[in-house]
Each structure stands twice: as C-alpha cells, then as structure tokens.
Amino acid sequence: MSNYHISRRLQFVIQYINDHEYASKERILEFLENKEFPISARTLERDFEKIKADFGIELSYSKTHNGYYIDREKSVKVESFFKFLELVTLADVFSDGLQNNHKILDYVVFDDSSQLKGIENLQPILLAIKQDRDLEFTHHNFHRDTYKTKIVTPIILKEYLNRWYVIGVPKGEDEIRTYGIERITAIKLGEFSSLEKQKYYQQTQQFEDIIGLMYSKQPPEKITLKVTNLHAKYLESLPLHTSQHIEPSEEEGFSLVNYRLIPNYEFTIQVLKMSVHAEVISPAWYRDYIKEEIEKIHLKYQND
C-alpha cells in the first residue's frame, strides 16, 4: 500500500473519531472498510500509535463509554491540526478531481481570492523555519507606503481570514513582528540563524489570547454574551475562539456564550456583526464600550 493511502487512512481515522466521539473499534473498522481501507484491529492500534507520534494527537479509550475519543488535554494544538487536515483533505479531493475531470472547478464556488498574492512565499518560509535559517525579503509597509529590505528569523506561519502571515524576529531586534506574505517580494533563504527560538515561542503564545493579529498587553478576561439559540448554533459550528463555551440561559430562547480572551478590535467587530442576535452581559466596561459603538453607528443614520 502506498504512503498516500496510509496518509488518507489516518485522515479517515482521526476525522471519524472527532465526528463520532466514543466510537468503538468495530465501528471505526467498519467505516474504514466502507471507505475501501479494510484493516485488522492490530493495524488500527498501530495507526493510533502513528497518529500520536506524527501529529501529537492522543486517541484515548473510555471504559465508561466503551469507545475512543480525542484527548485534548494530552494532545498538541488540536484545532491547528484540524485546520491542517482540512487543507490536506481539500488538496486530495481537488487533485483527484482534476485528474479525473478537468471540469470539477465548474462545480465549486470559492470566495474571491483574486487579490491574494504571495502564495509562492509559503514554501521558502516553511523551509527557513524547518532549517532554522534567516529570510531576506523586501517588505511593503502599507501605512507608510515604503519598501524596506528585512532580514528576519521566521518563527511561525499564521492564517487569518484567508490571508497568511509570517511571524518572526527581525535582525537586531528583540520582539516578534508580523508580515503579510502578500507584501513580501524578492524573498530568499539567508544564513543559518543563531537565534534562541524558544524564548520567542513564548511571545507567539500571545496569539492564543486574541482573535486575529491585533495584540495588546492587557490580560485576557472572561467575556459573556447572551445570544439567540439560533445564532448559538452558528457559533457552535464555527467558534470565534478556542476558549468559546456555550451554556443554556435562564431566559427562554437564548444561550450564554463565554470567552476567555483579550477583547481586541477583531473580536469587537465580530460582536457587532451579530447585531440584534447578541448582547454583551459582562464585563460591565466592555458592555458599555459596545453600547457606545452602537450609539455612534446610530448617530450616523440621524443626518437624513
């Protein structure tokens, strides 16, 4: 069996357990057989071991529920992994489709990405991260409309709203910076970096406390929203943040949605986009802030 098939099989195993929590070994094997990947119970156990070793995803067995589940406490960056799995799966689907039917793109509608540039920069950026090398490139600063040559040690890649950003440490500086890949040109691999990356990995943890890229040094806090039950279903299917937790409200027809984060610009925009379907309950200062923003919007429509 080829490495491609093994890779696809592992994708199926992980996705099935994620979609069917506490799935029994028999159900997993039956699912794989239906997908034309018949294997033995022993091979499935080896797959569990490989998934843990290669991806840091711990598949644990619950005696209470008689099935397997993803142990998020013991696993590493589960949500990031599933985003990666989504990209890999889509690549597989479209690769197969284009080989067998060149008209497959007639059946799929994407968001407009015609203005997205810099995808070709992903490969050298990932290579530099993997090999611990510097990157040299020209960066376009939109605000100042300037072009400057940068030498940066890349730390991580981050995707947000269908845009990719490289986060790294510029030469001679001691703080991480963020660069949109569509603003990067003339990129090339530099020398091997002597930077102690571990120190800066801690700085990148700041992105776990926010939505998007705009970080402030205020501590994260609990934000509670009251949303309609209908909108709660949308939030449940597509969470705004990894800390999101939904619970019933005492008020009929509503749910409480809790977050633990820094309420930055991007989060505020998401709250305002919910319109009449959401209300900030706490903290009081953020409720007042959203109220002021709504009043500003209201005033804009009083001039007619």
Side-chain angles (χ1 to χ4, degrees), residues 207-211 219-224 241-245 257-263 267:
F207 293 105
E208 296 183 3
D209 294 329
I210 63 171
I211 292 176
E221 55 186 307
K222 182 180 178 181
I223 309 289
T224 299
H241 189 257
T242 55
S243 66
Q244 178 177 290
H245 174 69
V257 186
N258 299 300
Y259 297 95
R260 182 74 181 177
L261 47 68
I262 299 170
F267 180 71

Side-chain angles (χ1 to χ4, degrees), residues 130-191:
K130 183 178 180 181
Q131 295 183 352
D132 289 325
R133 294 175 69 172
D134 290 334
L135 280 174
E136 183 177 332
F137 54 79
T138 299
H139 179 252
H140 181 196
N141 186 309
F142 284 171
H143 295 288
R144 301 172 185 172
D145 196 23
T146 57
Y147 293 83
K148 288 187 177 180
T149 299
K150 302 281 186 178
I151 298 177
V152 175
T153 300
I155 306 295
I156 61 171
L157 269 170
K158 179 174 174 61
E159 185 261 347
Y160 179 62
L161 294 180
N162 199 32
R163 291 291 185 269
W164 287 93
Y165 302 84
V166 57
I167 298 167
V169 183
K171 188 173 183 178
E173 298 186 28
D174 199 39
E175 295 286 336
I176 59 174
R177 296 286 185 269
T178 302
Y179 305 93
I181 66 166
E182 78 279 4
R183 307 182 219 170
I184 291 175
T185 56
I187 189 170
K188 60 182 180 180
L189 290 173
E191 299 178 352

